[in-house]
Amino acid sequence: MDFGLDGAVVLVTGASRGLGAAMATTLAAEGASVVAAARSTGSLAEVAARGKGRITAEAVDMRDEDAVTALVETVVARHGRIDALVNNAGIAPAGKFVDQDPGVWKETMAVNVIAPMLLAQAAGRHMIAQGSGRIVNVASTTGVRGKPHLVGYSTSKGAVVRMTESLAAEWAGKGVQVNCIAPGAFATDAQSAVLESPDLLARRVKKIPAGRMAEAEELMPLVCLLVSARSPFTTGSVFVVDGGESGKL
């Protein structure tokens, strides 16, 4: 399917590795002009190099509210518009809830909730003025169903799901679509501890009805569709992509 992304301007956060890097390179391959944002400048430069001139890199710390808001203005100043925003950046500190310092929660909320909110707000202003735009928030299956030892992360991703639904309802009449992807177990470097341990990997895969972890490329057609203008009636949806795991009782 031709997603019609030639010339579309897309901002992808958390784009230096894993799913974010795959999103940036895939969207660029589909013809979009991609601004890839992340903290890791070295890895980000590698992603930009794979974009064949369609990816530009912006080093941004998602904990810096001023820098986050300015990021959208940088995109618009460079390209004249912003057609889509993919809020992918996130952190997932693990630990027993009773022992977790409140500072860990504050940082998690800053990166996983406040930064996407600020980006959606800044991008939304331009999209409403344009009369069109798409926002794709990347949550997690833990935002749909809680997970032990990831209470802060689960809470933050649950907030992303609710933000998606609320914004979609508020902006549907303004030509702006807001959707959410909730990935399950993907074989990226974020899962390196699991992938490098045969025992952990076997236990993790046992929980997945599909019997395996997914590859990043398997998520990309959905990302391209939601970033494109090909499904204009799709908004406020949460797409769980987890091989059937969250569907189990």
Side-chain angles (χ1 to χ4, degrees):
M1 178 180 181
D2 177 10
F3 294 104
L5 291 173
D6 281 340
V9 178
V10 185
L11 170 59
V12 181
T13 68
S16 63
R17 60 194 181 107
L19 293 178
M23 291 172 187
T25 54
T26 299
L27 291 168
E30 290 289 328
S33 295
V34 179
V35 176
R39 233 183 352 169
S40 177
T41 55
S43 299
L44 200 55
E46 293 174 9
V47 172
R50 297 200 296 268
K52 298 180 179 180
R54 292 189 178 275
I55 301 176
T56 54
E58 287 291 331
V60 178
D61 187 334
M62 291 294 142
R63 297 169 298 183
D64 185 336
E65 295 184 9
D66 291 337
V68 167
T69 301
L71 178 59
V72 170
E73 302 311 318
T74 297
V75 174
V76 174
R78 180 178 298 155
H79 296 283
R81 60 188 294 116
I82 179 168
D83 297 299
L85 161 66
V86 182
N87 271 319
N88 173 70
I91 58 174
K96 293 181 179 179
F97 177 70
V98 293
D99 299 327
Q100 207 159 48
D101 188 278
V104 174
W105 271 62
K106 290 176 182 178
E107 184 175 25
T108 302
M109 296 301 162
V111 175
N112 295 2
V113 181
I114 301 301
M117 179 276 289
L118 290 171
L119 287 166
Q121 191 176 56
R125 292 189 183 106
H126 291 282
M127 292 175 179
I128 290 168
Q130 294 166 184
S132 66
R134 276 77 59 194
I135 296 174
V136 180
N137 295 318
V138 180
S140 165
T141 50
T142 64
V144 179
R145 293 193 172 187
K147 189 171 183 179
H149 307 301
L150 283 171
V151 181
Y153 178 67
S154 298
T155 302
S156 72
K157 291 304 184 178
V160 168
V161 170
R162 296 286 87 82
M163 179 174 72
T164 297
E165 295 168 343
S166 299
L167 277 182
E170 186 168 330
W171 289 348
K174 302 180 185 299
V176 181
Q177 298 165 249
V178 188
N179 290 291
C180 182
I181 300 174
F186 277 74
T188 66
D189 50 4
Q191 296 289 330
S192 58
V194 173
L195 295 170
E196 293 167 5
S197 168
D199 180 57
L200 287 177
L201 180 58
R203 282 191 282 165
R204 184 68 187 90
V205 168
K206 189 176 181 180
K207 298 177 181 178
I208 306 170
R212 63 180 178 85
M213 294 178 75
E215 298 297 327
E217 291 71 24
E218 295 179 89
L219 191 64
M220 297 308 112
L222 176 60
V223 173
C224 290
L225 178 64
L226 295 180
V227 163
S228 79
R230 293 294 194 234
S231 56
F233 203 61
T234 302
T235 194
S237 297
V238 180
F239 295 87
V240 176
V241 185
D242 68 351
E245 184 175 4
S246 62
K248 297 191 303 180
L249 292 175

